[in-house]
Structure formats: structure tokens, C-alpha cells
Amino acid sequence: MILVKNANLLDGISDEIKTVDILIVDDRVEKISKEIDIKNPDVKIIDANEKLVIPTLTDIHCHLREPGFEYKEDIRSGSLSAISGGFTTICCMPNTKPPVDNRAIVAYIKYKSKEVSPIEVLPVGAITKGLKGEELAEIGFMKEEGIVAISDDGRCVMNSNIMRNAMLYAKNFSLPVISHCEDMNLSEGGQMNHGYISTILGLRGVPPEAETIMVARDILIAKETKAHIHITHVSTRESVEMIKKAKEWGINVTADTCPHYISLTEDEVLEFNTNAKVNPPLRTCEDVEALIDGLKEGVIDCITTDHAPHQKDEKNVEFSLAPSGTIGFETALSVCWTYLVKNKGFKIAHIVKLLNNNPRKIINLKPNIIKEGHAANLLILDPNKEWIVNENEIISKSKNSIFIGKKLWLSIDTVIYNGKILKEEGVLNC
Amino acid sequence: MAKHLLGLKELSKDEILKILNLARDMKVILKSETKKTPHLQGYSVVTLFYENSTRTRTSFELAAKFMSANTTSISVQTSSVQKGESLLDTIRTLEALKTDVLIIRHSISGASHYVAKNCSFSVINAGDGMNEHPTQALLDMFTIKERLGRLENLKIAIIGDIYHSRVARSNIWGLGKFENEITIYGPLTLIPPYIEKHVKIATSFKEAISDKDVIIDLRIQLERQKKGFITSKYEYYKYFGLNDDIKDVINERTLIMHPGPVNRGVEISSEIMNLPNCTIEEQVTNGIAVRMAVLYLCTRKEGTLI
């Protein structure tokens, strides 16, 4: 039994914060009430005075690198990193080795997760065999094994006819298609955003149009097929405008962006910092503002981490040879707090929607809320804690965080999932 | 702390002038019969070129030799790089071999910055990707100063493939630190975005080259044709090359410069190359003097040079 006292609770249902006590028995929330007193000496009491309690988080776009790239991350290490960042449901992308393009690999990830991960790991299957963009993967079989969406993330399905068929076929199985939008002819050789900084540094650029053109294409295919398209890691102002238009037209489109796209710009690359090399690339202030407005207006439905671990030696090379990606689990909520709540006045309830309710809706999961009788999944947060991201404190197997050295607000003190304390007072307990 | 020369972007006006003034003294040595100074005696200077080069590499090697350094050149084609050795491990090896100064050319922008961050010796950038080629721009500036007597209040045109050119970038940063009006011109496919924050983009070739103090003509790589940047060398010559048809537009006193190697009849005509104010060979000679100055400054304990 766990009793959380004096919690400022945001339950994921109402937008109001209530100060209550929460009693957890086994894996369920037994009681939420103004004042709960229990004389049982076996009850673990957590004083959450001045702290904020919200439901645990959901990330529908991350890379756990298993199978094939366990030297970067594996299901266990990635899960621990996720827990540290408050996530208890994570969807891993299929660009592993071999890729998740058949039922056996899906089954492997599901089996392995059950063995080693304290949280819910949901695989995303490939759209095409070998992520080659040529032939559709066995989407039905993969769904049977437990995929929640399909995506060729990291690559764009360049053949529009294949993409159209993928959307239609996925509809049979009620799966969203998560699209990494990138015209790979326009982006060829690109190392960062195509703009002023790329000119200064003499690096080849990826023009914003490389993304926006494919966003427009996918929206048009979704319009015709009436399938559910989810545009992931949106990075450009024009993409936001396209998605806004599509929603006005009533097209079944949803979208996400990542913490780094709403907080940082192409300026991060100025010292040839390879941790700032991400795909799509960091853009400009105007794009950051447009993305934040997009979140505010509900054009962009949720935030994903695109947690993309790469080993130190892989990133410590000449800029063009470094792989793209930043890890993201452990900083996501703090970045949203710092850049959206503190700087832009977002409501806390909105952040919970962006990192929990909305992503779950996109992949058709039941809501994760704090309610009597429901699973006890909650985070205890200290919003007044200021910290600097330190490489040595990173939990993930890889340390390639774009936020190293940055000052952020909010710490995740305690993570309770299904009644188990997985992180306590800032320290992992699993 | 080892001293580096990675680019002109990071240098101040004074630092540039310091190099150019010293290069003037070095040129005197270069013209003397013995061509030898003891300034780099005991220093080990290594050239590591990941791209082909004749003039830059030879120029650096001669500069170091004239100053009594021990020089070694590593050619990537015959080195352990072919066995898959990373740049980081190559740096470690060179450190263990007691290198004092490394002169590096690499096809990736930022490669010399990367080396400088990871080593204890001095690094001189001899060209990194599309980013910078600082000693080329310094020798161009030296040539301009020697010929025209000043480095400011000049009208300068840079013609050709600006997008891929580290020479253009270094010249824009270097000459831009002085009060100069820089105009560029070339196929719009080869003009980088937002460069107008630093230079004027001419709307016609004529406008670009008429009434200029200096024209810097860039080499066009014929491979650019494959990616659709240019159509053919013949068309390039007609519309963007310093050809005989537009020769009359060029003022007689205008310096015509080219970093070499030249594609005759593509970016410049033989006739224009033969004009008395075409400085192509002179630039090569001045390159040695400038590189001697840079080597000297990089190896002094005192003073700054980034």
C-alpha cells in the first residue's frame, strides 16, 4: 500500500488541479480523497507537498535499437531511460537490424520486453519489407503479434503509389500510418537546415520543402483514401500550415513534434556539434514559433521524443559522417515544462494531453488516467527544480543528448507504474 | 595551448593584417638566394591531405622547409586510412609521432575544427569541404594589397560556383572584415541561401564584372553537371565564364584572380589569363610567403592566432 499525501493532482480527465491524498493498493488506485488517514504501519507514505502529480507519459516515437544495435541501446536500457523521464508506454520504431518487417521480430520484441522491461513497450511495424519503400510488409501478421502502427521511420516511402496502398491496407487493420516526411532527392547529402547557418558553415542543407512537400502528398493521399495518417516529428512552419488546412478539410490527419524542435534552432550546429545533428534538422526561430502555435491551436496533437541513441564514438567524428539523432526520454517533460509552460504560458493540463492522452488516442490505446479503480500510474514532479543536463547523469546507454549543458526546469522525482515504485526521489528502483 | 588557423571567420582584422605584414617579410626571404630561415628548426610539420592537391600541399611543404622544419606528408591513398583508420585514430597516431603542426585538407566541412578539438598540436586548415580555405584567401588578400596598395574600399567580384566554394567563403569572410563592396555572380543553382546578408548578388554578368578593382574567378567542377547545377561546360563558358566576348567589359586596371587549377576555356579564356593584370602565378608565389607567416605565428609561444 502506498499513500501519496497532499498531492496537487492533475488526473488526466479534468483540467483542474486538486489537492488530495491518493491511496494505492496493489496495482490500483483505491481511493482519492481530501484526507486519507491509515494507521497501518505497512503503508508507505510519500509526502507530495508542493509537488505535482500527473499520469505517467506515453511516447509513440522512439528507437530502442534492439535487435541489432544493442551497443547503442537495448529494450532494457531504453526502458530505464524512459522511466527516468516519466514514460511508461513507449512505441519503438522498426529500423532495427533486422528491421521489424515481419511477425517474428514483432514477437521477439514483445517477448523480450515482457522479460526485461518494467513498462509497456509497443512495437511499430515497417510499412515496407526491409524499409526499402518497395513492397508492403505483412502488416496483418504483424498486427496479430502486437504492432500499434506502421512506419518506415528514418526513411520516407518515396513511391507515392506504395504509400497510397499502405494507407489503404493499414485501414483494414485499423492501424495509423506514421509518416517520416522527407523528399529524399531534395534532402540528399544534407547535414542541417538549408539556410543562413548552412551557408556560413559550408554544410549541405536540407530545405524545409523536403519535409513539407511530403506532408502535402501524404495529406492528399489521406484525403482520397480516408485512412489515418500521422505525420511525425514535424519541423517546419509550412508543414504546420498544411496540417492545419488538412484538419479544416476534415482529413484524418494527426501530427507530432519533438522537444528539440520547439526549443532549439539551427544555431546549435554552429560549433559543428554532432549532437545537434538530427533528422529532420533543427530549423529557424520562425519554425519554432509556428510549431508552438501549432501545439497551442491543436494543429499538432502530441509530442514524441524521437529518442535516437547513438554511441559516443559514432558521434565523435567529422560532422558529415555522424549519424542523425538525439536521445530524448529523460529531458522531454522538462523541456516542455521549460519552453511551453514557463516561457509560453501553456496550461499544465495541456502538457499532460500532449504527452499522454493524445498520443494514446492516435494509436487507439485506452486513456491513462488517475482515477479510483484504475491502474496506479503516476508521476510526482517538482516543477520548481532547476537543473543542468549533465552527460554523466544520463541513464540511456548512449549519451548523445542535444540538451547537454542546457538549463531546464522540473524534475521527475517519483514514477509509479501499476502500483510499483519504479523511480523514487530521483533514483531508479527497478 | 596550441594555436590554430581554422578559418577567417574567426579571425579579427588585426590578426589578418598581422599575417599579411609578416608575409611581406617572408616574401623577401623567398626572393633571396638562400631561401632559408631557422624559425621552424626542430619542429615537425605534417601534411595530411584527404583530397588531391598540387599547389596547396607543395606550397605548405616548401614554406615549412624554407623555415627549416622537418616535414612529412601523408597521402591518404597510401596510408592506414585505406585500412579503415578513423580520423580520430589518425590524430592519435600523429600525436604519438610528435607532430607539432598538422596541415589538413579534408572533404568534410568542419573537419579541421574537429581535429583541433581532439588534439594537442597546431592545426592549419588547408581546405575543409565547402567551409573554408583560409590560406588561399590570405594569399589572395596579400596579392590584392601588394598590387593595389590597400585592402579596403575595393569593389570585388567573385564569379562562379559560390555554393561549393571554400575559397569564396574564406574570401567573403576575410575581405568582408574590411570596408569592401563584394558582389557575386554565377548560376543561381550555385548561390547559397542568405548569402545576401554578406554580399551583393549581381543580376547580370556584365553588372558583376564591370567597374571592379578585383575579380576572383572560381574553378567550376565539371561533376556539378550530374546534379543539375550546370548544363555543360560550353554553356557555362558562354554565360558565366570570363570569355573573350565580355573581355571589353573588364576594366584594364581590374585584377583578375583565380585560385587554380584552371579549366581553360570553361571559367576563363586563355587570352584573359595572359593579361598583365591576371595574377594567377603571382598568387602561387605569394602563397608560400603567406604560409610561411602562418607557420611562424602558429609555432610562436606568444601572441594569438585562432
Side-chain angles (χ1 to χ4, degrees):
Chain A
M1 273 199 282
I2 304 164
L3 180 58
V4 182
K5 296 284 288 178
N6 309 312
N8 295 307
L9 172 69
L10 199 83
D11 58 14
I13 312 161
S14 143
D15 285 359
E16 266 168 64
I17 296 176
K18 292 166 274 193
T19 305
V20 291
D21 292 351
I22 305 165
L23 179 66
I24 298 166
V25 177
D26 299 329
D27 60 342
R28 306 267 125 191
V29 172
E30 176 78 16
K31 197 174 172 194
I32 300 174
S33 169
K34 271 259 172 267
E35 188 75 43
I36 304 175
D37 273 316
I38 293 186
K39 298 278 179 290
N40 188 338
D42 293 340
V43 174
K44 183 179 175 65
I45 294 176
I46 301 174
D47 185 10
N49 193 22
E50 307 267 300
K51 304 278 170 73
L52 190 64
V53 174
I54 65 170
T56 54
L57 310 177
T58 301
D59 181 16
I60 60 170
H61 186 150
C62 71
H63 301 268
L64 298 181
R65 304 298 189 208
E66 188 177 347
F69 302 105
E70 288 85 351
Y71 67 95
K72 298 174 194 255
E73 192 85 287
D74 55 41
I75 291 172
R76 167 101 187 143
S77 67
S79 296
L80 296 185
S81 175
I83 292 164
S84 192
F87 293 91
T88 56
T89 300
I90 55 177
C91 303
C92 52
M93 285 294 162
N95 58 344
T96 47
K97 195 176 163 187
V100 188
D101 64 354
N102 64 75
R103 65 188 309 164
I105 306 290
V106 180
Y108 168 79
I109 292 173
K110 292 292 280 187
Y111 165 77
K112 194 71 194 288
S113 304
K114 212 172 241 173
E115 293 283 298
V116 303
S117 174
I119 57 172
E120 187 175 33
V121 176
L122 302 171
V124 174
I127 297 174
T128 62
K129 290 184 185 121
L131 304 169
K132 287 195 183 125
E134 291 162 2
E135 274 177 54
L136 291 190
E138 289 171 338
I139 294 163
F141 287 156
M142 290 196 291
K143 162 101 189 220
E144 259 184 58
E145 300 295 340
I147 62 164
V148 291
I150 54 169
S151 179
D152 272 4
D153 184 58
R155 302 177 58 83
C156 184
V157 178
M158 285 294 288
N159 182 328
S160 302
N161 190 42
I162 294 289
M163 192 59 172
R164 179 177 178 276
N165 286 337
M167 282 198 218
L168 284 170
Y169 198 80
K171 217 177 137 189
N172 280 100
F173 299 93
S174 307
L175 289 169
V177 179
I178 299 179
S179 180
H180 167 115
C181 291
E182 174 185 350
D183 182 318
M184 295 189 323
N185 292 317
L186 271 176
S187 67
E188 194 188 335
Q191 302 296 324
M192 63 172 303
N193 184 41
H194 175 84
Y196 180 56
I197 307 293
S198 69
T199 290
I200 287 191
L201 295 177
L203 287 171
R204 266 174 221 278
V206 179
E209 294 72 38
E211 172 178 311
T212 312
I213 283 171
M214 283 301 169
V215 170
R217 179 199 72 171
D218 287 350
I219 284 171
L220 291 172
I221 298 175
K223 181 169 188 258
E224 184 246 337
T225 57
K226 298 191 171 57
H228 177 189
I229 184 82
H230 177 80
I231 313 286
T232 193
H233 51 47
V234 173
S235 74
T236 77
R237 178 174 55 179
E238 290 77 13
S239 295
V240 177
E241 281 167 25
M242 295 278 170
I243 296 161
K244 189 176 178 176
K245 200 64 182 166
K247 287 191 166 180
E248 283 167 16
W249 286 346
I251 297 167
N252 192 1
V253 56
T254 51
D256 73 67
T257 187
C258 310
H260 39 285
Y261 300 121
I262 56 169
S263 55
L264 305 173
T265 67
E266 57 182 358
D267 290 8
E268 297 295 319
V269 183
L270 270 173
E271 304 288 314
F272 295 103
N273 173 13
T274 53
N275 282 345
K277 184 175 174 184
V278 289
N279 186 19
L282 297 174
R283 307 281 185 187
T284 66
C285 288
E286 289 80 48
D287 296 292
V288 170
E289 289 301 318
L291 289 164
I292 292 174
D293 287 344
L295 289 169
K296 209 178 267 172
E297 295 169 18
V299 174
I300 297 178
D301 303 85
C302 70
I303 286 170
T304 62
T305 65
D306 197 359
H307 178 83
H310 291 294
Q311 194 224 17
K312 198 158 189 166
D313 288 345
E314 293 176 302
K315 278 284 195 180
N316 187 18
V317 291
E318 300 93 304
F319 196 85
S320 305
L321 301 183
S324 295
T326 172
I327 54 169
F329 286 139
E330 296 163 54
T331 46
L333 184 58
S334 297
V335 171
C336 290
W337 189 270
T338 308
Y339 288 88
L340 297 179
V341 177
K342 271 191 105 68
N343 293 357
K344 294 284 172 181
F346 274 54
K347 292 237 161 55
I348 302 163
H350 193 174
I351 301 298
V352 173
K353 287 200 176 84
L354 292 172
L355 284 162
N356 182 36
N357 307 49
N358 295 353
R360 296 182 79 85
K361 244 180 262 166
I362 289 164
I363 53 165
N364 308 309
L365 294 184
K366 276 191 292 200
N368 177 30
I369 51 179
I370 303 175
K371 196 180 171 189
E372 289 178 3
H374 282 243
N377 303 335
L378 54 92
L379 305 176
I380 303 177
L381 313 172
D382 183 353
N384 298 315
K385 174 77 184 278
E386 195 181 8
W387 59 292
I388 292 170
V389 182
N390 179 342
E391 189 177 338
N392 300 322
E393 292 167 6
I394 290 171
I395 303 286
S396 167
K397 206 181 266 190
S398 290
K399 314 296 174 193
N400 57 310
S401 171
I402 199 170
F403 291 103
I404 287 171
K406 301 263 189 263
K407 204 182 270 181
L408 298 176
W409 289 88
L410 184 134
S411 66
I412 297 158
D413 293 350
T414 301
V415 179
I416 299 176
Y417 180 60
N418 286 329
K420 282 200 198 79
I421 302 177
L422 300 183
K423 186 182 183 187
E424 191 174 8
E425 286 176 41
V427 180
L428 283 183
N429 183 27
C430 53
Chain B
M1 270 285 279
K3 293 192 276 183
H4 311 297
L5 176 67
L6 305 179
L8 295 195
K9 212 163 24 205
E10 301 96 329
L11 287 198
S12 70
K13 210 164 141 175
D14 286 346
E15 284 172 314
I16 291 173
L17 287 173
K18 191 172 167 188
I19 298 169
L20 298 184
N21 289 338
L22 187 59
R24 211 169 41 197
D25 301 337
M26 295 301 180
K27 195 167 175 183
V28 175
I29 295 168
L30 206 54
K31 280 185 178 164
S32 72
E33 261 174 47
T34 46
K35 291 209 243 356
K36 201 83 176 171
T37 79
H39 291 118
L40 259 62
Q41 200 152 35
Y43 284 94
S44 172
V45 176
V46 176
T47 59
L48 173 64
F49 275 51
Y50 284 78
E51 281 183 344
N52 298 333
S53 161
T54 316
R55 69 204 69 222
T56 304
R57 182 175 206 145
T58 314
S59 174
F60 265 116
E61 272 174 31
L62 287 174
K65 284 189 169 127
F66 293 160
M67 297 171 85
S68 311
N70 298 309
T71 63
T72 310
S73 71
I74 303 168
S75 171
V76 165
Q77 280 78 20
T78 55
S79 74
S80 291
V81 174
Q82 294 304 317
K83 299 180 191 166
E85 188 169 43
S86 71
L87 181 51
L88 187 65
D89 289 332
T90 305
I91 298 165
R92 296 271 174 275
T93 307
L94 292 175
E95 230 156 30
L97 290 167
K98 304 294 172 202
T99 301
D100 296 303
V101 181
L102 177 74
I103 295 152
I104 180 168
R105 167 167 291 187
H106 200 287
S107 59
I108 294 176
S109 302
S112 63
H113 293 72
Y114 169 76
V115 174
K117 246 182 253 172
N118 286 286
C119 75
S120 54
F121 45 72
S122 282
V123 178
I124 299 173
N125 181 4
D128 64 321
M130 305 170 356
N131 182 32
E132 286 228 40
H133 190 350
T135 55
Q136 177 68 45
L138 286 168
L139 74 87
D140 290 345
M141 293 168 84
F142 181 89
T143 307
I144 293 169
K145 196 160 182 259
E146 197 179 54
R147 280 280 198 136
L148 303 178
R150 65 181 201 276
L151 258 186
E152 58 280 308
N153 298 317
L154 296 167
K155 289 184 177 170
I156 301 157
I158 305 177
I159 306 297
D161 181 357
I162 314 288
Y163 182 82
H164 295 100
S165 177
R166 52 193 176 214
V167 175
R169 281 189 179 77
S170 283
N171 266 307
I172 290 169
W173 310 140
L175 289 162
K177 290 193 201 282
F178 301 83
E179 303 282 307
N180 295 309
E181 185 189 292
I182 305 174
T183 305
I184 61 168
Y185 187 74
L188 285 173
T189 47
L190 294 170
I191 304 294
Y194 298 101
I195 193 71
E196 63 275 13
K197 285 192 181 186
H198 297 278
V199 298
K200 224 172 94 184
I201 303 174
T203 48
S204 75
F205 199 11
K206 267 193 184 154
E207 178 204 327
I209 58 173
S210 56
D211 192 31
K212 291 290 181 290
D213 299 299
V214 180
I215 295 173
I216 299 173
D217 192 31
L218 300 171
R219 175 182 165 76
I220 181 81
Q221 287 190 304
L222 302 172
E223 304 95 86
R224 304 292 177 222
Q225 207 171 303
K226 286 186 207 131
K227 293 269 180 223
F229 290 110
I230 59 168
T231 55
S232 71
K233 55 183 181 180
Y234 311 106
E235 191 165 288
Y236 187 88
Y237 183 57
K238 172 126 202 293
Y239 297 107
F240 307 101
L242 294 176
N243 59 44
D244 296 337
D245 294 341
I246 58 105
K247 207 179 97 200
D248 299 338
V249 180
I250 303 171
N251 199 310
E252 265 177 41
R253 58 172 180 82
T254 303
L255 286 191
I256 297 166
M257 309 178 76
H258 191 296
V262 170
N263 293 302
R264 268 174 204 266
V266 182
E267 68 253 2
I268 189 167
S269 74
S270 293
E271 203 175 321
I272 293 180
M273 283 176 74
N274 290 333
L275 291 174
N277 47 357
C278 182
T279 60
I280 298 179
E281 281 88 38
E282 212 172 303
Q283 285 167 266
V284 176
T285 309
N286 291 341
I288 308 176
V290 162
R291 287 170 182 127
M292 286 169 79
V294 169
L295 281 166
Y296 177 87
L297 290 170
C298 274
T299 47
R300 293 317 98 177
K301 300 263 180 303
E302 71 287 352
T304 57
L305 187 73
I306 300 163

